[in-house]
Amino acid sequence: IVAVLLSKIIPAKIKSNIFKVRPSIWVEYSPVDNFFDCTFWKQYVNTHNFDMVHYIDRNDTPIRNVPVKEIEKSGLRWIDAHSFSLIQMSKISLLTVMKYIYEIFNKSSSLPLWFKVFKFYYNFWLCTYTSIFKYYKVKVLIQHQDHFWRQEVQKKAIESSGGIIIGFQWSNYLTSYEPVIFFPYHVYFLWGKTIYDFVRKKDNTCKYIIPSGLWITNDKKEELNNISYNSNFIISIFDSSVAYYLHQTPDTLSQFYLKILQIIEDNTSWGAIVKSKNWTLDGLRSLPQGDTIVKRFKFLMG
């Protein structure tokens, strides 16, 4: 209520470089240095009829830290889509909010209070996103935050504006995932059959799940050319990581790297492509026996 009231009393200009509303593709912005760039396919977009827009809504990307000039140089639009900005953009009325609040305290409903509160948030954000997607003519939404219940709301909202939501695969899906990950995409691109079978077994609301292969951008292709042509067998180790929802600890990850290193050292005609998820090579020093791991990697690279 406070946020909606403030948006009425103190109307603020929306931070964006969208000066003329056209049909658009909205892509969630994430820091390119740390995350996968979801606009790697932008050269295939029909920019005569569609705008490609970075919507900036992540908690780790406050608008003040986003290099908007770099976004503009790449020919993309951008818009501040953090929560308060969304409320301002949607122009949701106080009357609508009060109606949703009334449902919380409506004694004729037998639903538990926690469910009524959650329903309030659901309806509030559904109304907000629907208004925004319709106004900005959003036809495709690329969303990459898997751990967020509001994804399902975004899916319902963009359906109302005649659009779809698309998702790309994260790397660490072969694990037991907590139920907050819905996979609520109209189209969901996965790397291959193994992940495809895994996601199909889990509850999801996808319309199409499409194995598409692993996309590698041009700069990575050049790095792969450096591998020795004397190698007659290549092991690929992608996105090994430690996180609270993975069955992995720093110690088990260290043991994994040490065993891989031993295999490569014992088989001199073998090679390896290693892309850790959250570390540079020297960053692996933070793991148990990290100094040893880095030293042996550098020896093999030499």
Side-chain angles (χ1 to χ4, degrees):
I1 296 177
V2 174
V4 174
L5 189 59
L6 284 174
S7 71
K8 308 299 180 187
I9 298 174
I10 315 172
K13 183 180 178 181
I14 303 302
K15 295 175 182 177
S16 174
N17 70 338
I18 300 174
F19 305 112
K20 181 181 178 181
V21 174
R22 301 198 308 159
S24 57
I25 301 166
W26 279 24
V27 183
E28 180 190 31
Y29 174 82
S30 59
V32 176
D33 290 342
N34 300 315
F35 295 90
F36 179 64
D37 179 11
C38 292
T39 65
F40 64 93
W41 46 274
K42 58 180 176 288
Q43 65 266 31
Y44 302 106
V45 174
N46 177 3
T47 54
H48 293 293
N49 298 322
F50 288 86
D51 280 335
M52 198 162 182
V53 180
H54 264 313
Y55 72 97
I56 305 164
D57 71 336
R58 296 171 61 105
N59 291 333
D60 58 2
T61 53
I63 194 68
R64 65 180 179 275
N65 293 344
V66 175
V68 294
K69 292 190 182 300
E70 295 299 319
I71 295 175
E72 292 169 352
K73 283 181 183 177
S74 67
L76 301 181
R77 303 295 183 187
W78 61 272
I79 190 165
D80 181 7
H82 291 93
S83 293
F84 187 66
S85 295
L86 290 174
I87 293 169
Q88 289 180 309
M89 280 189 276
S90 73
K91 297 181 169 51
I92 188 171
S93 69
L94 279 171
L95 185 62
T96 299
V97 177
M98 293 304 295
K99 182 184 75 172
Y100 294 151
I101 291 175
Y102 170 78
E103 292 179 5
I104 296 177
F105 299 99
N106 183 2
K107 294 183 179 180
S108 64
S109 172
S110 60
L111 294 171
L113 179 61
W114 69 265
F115 189 89
K116 290 181 180 179
V117 172
F118 182 79
K119 186 178 178 182
F120 164 80
Y121 279 109
Y122 182 93
N123 287 329
F124 177 85
W125 286 114
L126 180 60
C127 180
T128 299
Y129 279 114
T130 300
S131 171
I132 292 166
F133 292 157
K134 284 183 176 180
Y135 177 80
Y136 284 101
K137 301 179 182 178
V138 183
K139 299 305 176 186
V140 178
L141 184 75
I142 310 293
Q143 212 279 358
H144 202 55
Q145 283 190 14
D146 292 339
H147 300 167
F148 199 27
W149 64 267
R150 215 186 284 179
Q151 270 187 316
E152 185 67 34
V153 180
Q154 290 174 333
K155 178 182 181 180
K156 295 296 184 186
I158 201 164
E159 284 176 350
S160 300
S161 65
I164 62 171
I165 182 171
I166 293 176
F168 299 126
Q169 180 193 328
W170 282 19
S171 62
N172 44 12
Y173 280 166
L174 293 185
T175 180
S176 298
Y177 260 61
E178 61 266 49
V180 297
I181 303 177
F182 300 124
F183 304 128
Y185 305 108
H186 292 96
V187 181
Y188 193 30
F189 290 110
L190 299 176
W191 290 353
K193 184 179 183 302
T194 301
I195 308 294
Y196 171 82
D197 290 341
F198 174 80
V199 174
R200 285 292 297 269
K201 289 176 182 177
K202 184 190 183 301
D203 291 336
N204 67 80
T205 59
C206 297
K207 187 169 184 180
Y208 300 103
I209 301 175
I210 303 176
S212 59
L214 174 63
W215 286 297
I216 300 178
T217 53
N218 289 332
D219 57 333
K220 298 301 179 187
K221 290 178 183 177
E222 293 303 317
E223 290 180 23
L224 294 180
N225 287 337
N226 295 329
I227 196 161
S228 171
Y229 288 102
N230 295 324
S231 301
N232 61 21
F233 185 80
I234 306 295
I235 299 177
S236 297
I237 305 104
F238 277 14
D239 286 340
S240 300
S241 184
V242 175
Y244 72 92
Y245 49 79
L246 300 180
H247 300 293
Q248 180 84 282
T249 67
D251 186 63
T252 59
L253 182 57
S254 294
Q255 295 304 314
F256 170 73
Y257 276 127
L258 290 169
K259 289 181 184 299
I260 292 294
L261 284 162
Q262 190 64 56
I263 290 171
I264 302 299
E265 291 165 351
D266 291 344
N267 297 272
T268 56
S269 64
W270 291 17
I273 300 170
V274 183
K275 190 196 85 63
S276 298
K277 188 171 185 68
N278 299 317
W279 295 287
T280 61
L281 176 56
D282 283 322
L284 294 176
R285 296 184 189 278
S286 63
L287 294 173
Q289 303 186 63
D291 288 339
T292 299
I293 292 170
V294 172
K295 183 178 179 180
R296 289 169 67 178
F297 265 129
K298 288 187 174 181
F299 175 79
L300 288 171
M301 290 167 67

